[in-house]
Amino acid sequence: MLILLTIVFLVLLIVVVNKDWDSAGSFCTIGFGVCLVSIVVLSWNIISSRTLESKIDMYTEENKNIEEDMNVLVEQYMNYESNTYGDLKDESSITLVSLYPELKADTLVEKQIEVYIENNKKIRELKEKMINIRNYKWLLYFCG
């Protein structure tokens, strides 16, 4: 869309310059300049988005590893405290950590939960950027 609009402004600018219409020439020059700057900005955002998918995969893999580590820790703790808490094997490791105050207070688990939460936040941000990229592509050249 912006590429088409830039071409229209360029053609109008050429026509206006040949006709000596000063105010229309200023309008076309400003419109052409705004479109050109917008194209550069949108193109930069689209080009920089090429790595978003691999970043999401990296954070997802890291969260998977953290979940596996947490599963091992929770399982060991459940074996240790099997008489106290009973059988809760169907719950996720993140939920079980919140149920066990002693395990939740462990610094290793606490740090892993912080990293897990940060990774999830980053994944949401990256997915939001991917959604925005579709809009940028549409604005730039009618493609999504």
Side-chain angles (χ1 to χ4, degrees):
M1 184 163 87
L2 279 173
I3 293 173
L4 180 63
L5 198 56
T6 304
I7 292 169
V8 168
F9 273 121
L10 182 61
V11 169
L12 284 175
L13 184 62
I14 292 170
V15 169
V16 167
V17 167
N18 289 335
K19 299 288 182 178
D20 287 332
W21 293 335
D22 290 336
S23 60
S26 299
F27 173 74
C28 290
T29 303
I30 291 171
F32 180 73
V34 168
C35 287
L36 222 63
V37 169
S38 299
I39 287 173
V40 169
V41 169
L42 290 176
S43 297
W44 176 256
N45 285 330
I46 291 170
I47 289 169
S48 65
S49 73
R50 294 184 304 174
T51 60
L52 288 179
E53 197 66 46
S54 58
K55 287 179 182 178
I56 290 172
D57 292 342
M58 177 192 68
Y59 284 116
T60 304
E61 182 66 30
E62 188 175 339
N63 275 359
K64 182 180 172 189
N65 291 338
I66 289 172
E67 281 184 36
E68 289 172 2
D69 291 345
M70 297 279 281
N71 282 336
V72 170
L73 286 171
V74 168
E75 189 174 314
Q76 289 173 351
Y77 191 80
M78 283 178 63
N79 288 337
Y80 175 73
E81 292 286 338
S82 62
N83 295 335
T84 307
Y85 291 105
D87 191 25
L88 296 172
K89 292 183 180 179
D90 293 336
E91 300 291 329
S92 74
S93 59
I94 303 298
T95 306
L96 290 173
V97 166
S98 65
L99 292 176
Y100 298 132
E102 296 86 3
L103 188 57
K104 189 176 180 180
D106 185 85
T107 56
L108 171 65
V109 172
E110 193 174 305
K111 196 65 169 168
Q112 284 182 323
I113 289 174
E114 288 174 14
V115 171
Y116 185 86
I117 291 170
E118 276 299 313
N119 286 350
N120 277 340
K121 182 179 173 185
K122 190 67 173 175
I123 289 171
R124 280 193 302 275
E125 289 172 4
L126 292 172
K127 285 182 178 180
E128 185 178 328
K129 283 183 182 179
M130 285 181 65
I131 291 168
N132 290 338
I133 293 301
R134 286 187 219 134
N135 294 333
Y136 298 158
K137 286 180 180 179
W138 187 86
L139 281 173
L140 191 59
Y141 48 84
F142 293 116
C143 177

